Amino acid sequence: MASATLVFFIFLISIHFFTLTLSQLHLQYNNCYVPNGGTFDPTGPYKRNLEQVLNTLTTDTTITSGFYNSSAGTGTNTVYARALCRPDMSSETCRDCINVTREILPTLCQNNRSAIGGYDDDKDINCMLRYADYNQFGIMEDKPYFYVNTLKLVDNQYVDEFNRTRKSLLDKLIIQAAAADSPDKYAADFAVASFGRIYGLVQCTPDLNETSCKNCLDITMTRMTDCCDTKQGGRVYTPSCNFRYALNADFFKRVTRPPKEKNHTVIIIVSVIVSVVTLVTLVGIVIFLKRKKWEEEDENILPLIKPFEELVGQITQS
Ligand SMILES: *[C@@H]1O[C@H](CO)[C@@H](O)[C@H](O)[C@H]1NC(C)=O
Ligand SMILES: *[C@@H]1O[C@H](CO)[C@@H](O)[C@H](O)[C@H]1NC(C)=O
Ligand SMILES: *[C@@H]1O[C@H](CO)[C@@H](O)[C@H](O)[C@H]1NC(C)=O
Ligand SMILES: *[C@@H]1O[C@H](CO)[C@@H](O)[C@H](O)[C@H]1NC(C)=O
Ligand SMILES: *[C@@H]1O[C@H](CO)[C@@H](O)[C@H](O)[C@H]1NC(C)=O
């Protein structure tokens, strides 16, 4: 009885611990850029509008596309905000990520009128948030850009083939994503070469038309040399589009099937019930009441036990 109760409390404490870890994470990339120049008065209307737009950005819970778009205020004090998640993120996970980002980004960027920032652990955490004093809707913006890569290099004997295969795969995906109907402006696939498979995903914000989406991705592809060259995996982000490629299928499996199931949550809940035999009724009630909350937390938090372990490369902005 005592040890069963202990197991249960350790379980609760570990959930609490991982929740803290999530909120304490730094943004993986950010830039307080000012294309229109300027800062705002921290006691003025722009600040209030910024707080309002960030608070209401994800209030529409019927959005399942992972793209959020909102504005607040009037005239020169209007603040426009938008957010984009990787296509395989569930709505809850996407909103949770934006929710954390919207707390941290204004802190990092203080009184700057424009900012962009986001997370990507290449697993279950992915979102990009930006705000500015102009309406970005439908406008293609390929700067600033951010990139990350793996340190592992492609074996020398495959470099040329790798280079060609990667380019033809991503070029094909760019055409598909650009032509795709909104809101699903992305494409994912793999190519087979003598060294194995190479997987790719390209994505535009769904407000872009075909021409703008293709332009954005074509320009972003020119960052390949800076970013990735002979690296086995890499990603480049811009405000309007992003691409990634890798030799492993992790992201591809998720993108090409519906948002992931929650089996692991069920397994955890079942094992708690089994170990707390004498508290089964009480625990059952607690689980029933908390179940929804646990599922949400679990989905976000488990991947952060080892945050960003694959992101050993550099992140550069310009
Ligand atoms: C996003 O903002 C633009 C411009 O304000 C608006 O036309 C559009 O309807 C908005 N879209 C969504 C999904 O909110
Ligand atoms: C965002 O986090 C706050 C607490 O910090 C919470 O009250 C709110 O419900 C969250 N919103 C979403 C959409 O998850
Ligand atoms: C805000 O923008 C200014 C340029 O106007 C820049 O020098 C400054 O570094 C930015 N602030 C932050 C926190 O990056
Ligand atoms: C890969 O191909 C591009 C041209 O498509 C070239 O600029 C680059 O140098 C090549 N990289 C390697 C490592 O061969
Ligand atoms: C696509 O959007 C851009 C930017 O808004 C615009 O200049 C262009 O005319 C549009 N192209 C088409 C074919 O609608």
Side-chain angles (χ1 to χ4, degrees), residues 245-258:
Y245 72 90
L247 292 183
N248 70 54
D250 292 352
F251 74 80
F252 180 78
K253 280 189 214 140
R254 289 189 308 264
V255 173
T256 50
R257 71 166 193 233

Side-chain angles (χ1 to χ4, degrees), residues 30-34 37-39 107-114:
N30 77 279
N31 190 324
C32 315
Y33 71 118
V34 278
T39 53
T107 314
L108 292 173
C109 291
Q110 298 185 336
N111 301 331
N112 282 16
R113 289 167 76 92
S114 316

Side-chain angles (χ1 to χ4, degrees), residues 159-164 166-167 224-225 228-231:
V159 163
D160 286 341
E161 187 192 3
F162 183 84
N163 205 13
R164 278 196 315 276
R166 176 178 61 189
K167 184 167 178 7
M224 185 73 88
T225 333
C228 311
D229 200 34
T230 56
K231 305 291 195 314

Side-chain angles (χ1 to χ4, degrees), residues 138-140 209-212:
I139 298 174
M140 188 279 272
N209 62 25
E210 182 168 358
T211 315
S212 299

